[in-house]
Amino acid sequence: MGASDPEVAPWAPGRAAGMAGAGAGAGARGGAPAGVEARARDPPPAHRAHPRHPRPAAQPSARRMDGGAGVPGSGDNAPTTEALFVALGAGVTALSHPLLYVKLLIQVGHEPMPPTLGTNVLGRKVLYLPSFFTYAKYIVQVDGKIGLFRGLSPRLMSNALSTVTRGSMKKVFPPDEIEQVSNKDDMKTSLKKVVKETSYEMMMQCVSRMLAHPLHVISMRCMVQFVGREAKYSGVLSSIGKIFKEEGLLGFFVGLIPHLLGDVVFLWGCNLLAHFINAYLVDDSVSDTPGGLGNDQNPGSQAAGTPHVLHRLQAGLPPYSPVFKSWIHCWKYLSVQGQLFRGSSLLFRRVSSGSCFALE
């Protein structure tokens, strides 16, 4: 290989002597050709860094940027996103727990403070029950500030289990065949898509509700112990042992049916209402439906189911409450008393004529 070589000649003019010397010296180093030694010392200009124009740094490939996946944000980011949702849900649950706690005690009919006399907007005198802030202040006086978070641990576990279950079900049963609703669809086609999507969401919600319901039962019983000043349910593991020993496996699913019915009615009602509003009032896509209920996000199913879950505690026994044979018995009783929506208002609560608790 000499200076006339097409790969060497363009970038090695005037170095014939050097190449000859390299060839001579190559024999002493093992007989390597002169051109090979020259290439080792002088790379082609396309790959050689110029002193005034340094070689640009190599850009990472797309596969290197997303951790080995061909598409950014796929695969490896799924566990991180799920953990983020669990963490955010835990924060919201912890902040809203005092509100749920007071609401639950009101739902079971526990009124430790007498009503106060006041006037309504029409100037008529009415009896007002303690609002949320007054009730919460009373709990702090009895149990301290930490008392506002009674039953929080099993509730956090219940919501986390529900979130993880929904995420796992989406991986096992991905909604790939569900077509998004477009404003180009006619009424019949779009309604069919909404029904299909809502059915998918209902399946996930029912499964996650059933798996997380035992922890929900434990959480409610921990909170309602405030009524009778009991300490029967103190921890998650000990509560599981007590419920299984006294009530068997079915004890973990007390009140499940009204919760499931409430979830289904709430989910279908919201999705269909959103669909018809977007179809008739808004000329836009209705693909974003309000699915994905959390474990405690349905207010309509707890009024009749709550007292039925609390048997074996003083809050679920006379004189605080009758003993209900089933959630239907509880529903009928609250309906006659006009208390199906007890706990729906936490600020301006008035004494009704059909109240099922005694006023002193």
Side-chain angles (χ1 to χ4, degrees), residues 9 20 35 56-57 94 111 120 123 137 175 180 196 200 203 217 230 310 354:
E111 298 292 346
N120 58 12
K137 185 178 179 180
Q180 298 296 331
K196 188 175 182 180
Y200 176 79
M203 176 194 67
V217 171
E230 300 156 284
L310 308 176

Side-chain angles (χ1 to χ4, degrees), residues 150-165:
R150 182 195 294 260
L152 176 60
S153 297
R155 187 175 171 225
L156 289 175
M157 297 173 62
S158 175
N159 288 354
L161 179 60
S162 178
T163 302
V164 172
T165 301

Side-chain angles (χ1 to χ4, degrees), residues 273-343:
L273 180 62
H275 167 68
F276 288 114
I277 288 178
N278 284 274
Y280 289 103
L281 301 180
V282 181
D283 185 15
D284 199 356
S285 174
V286 293
S287 58
D288 296 329
T289 54
L293 294 176
N295 200 38
D296 297 312
Q297 294 179 354
N298 181 16
S301 65
Q302 296 193 15
T306 298
H308 182 49
V309 177
L310 308 176
H311 61 84
R312 297 182 181 272
L313 288 175
Q314 292 187 26
L317 299 173
Y320 296 102
S321 173
V323 177
F324 299 106
K325 300 178 180 179
S326 65
W327 69 272
I328 299 178
H329 181 202
C330 178
W331 180 286
K332 292 180 178 180
Y333 176 82
L334 293 176
S335 178
V336 172
Q337 298 293 331
Q339 296 294 318
L340 278 176
F341 296 96
R342 186 170 62 197

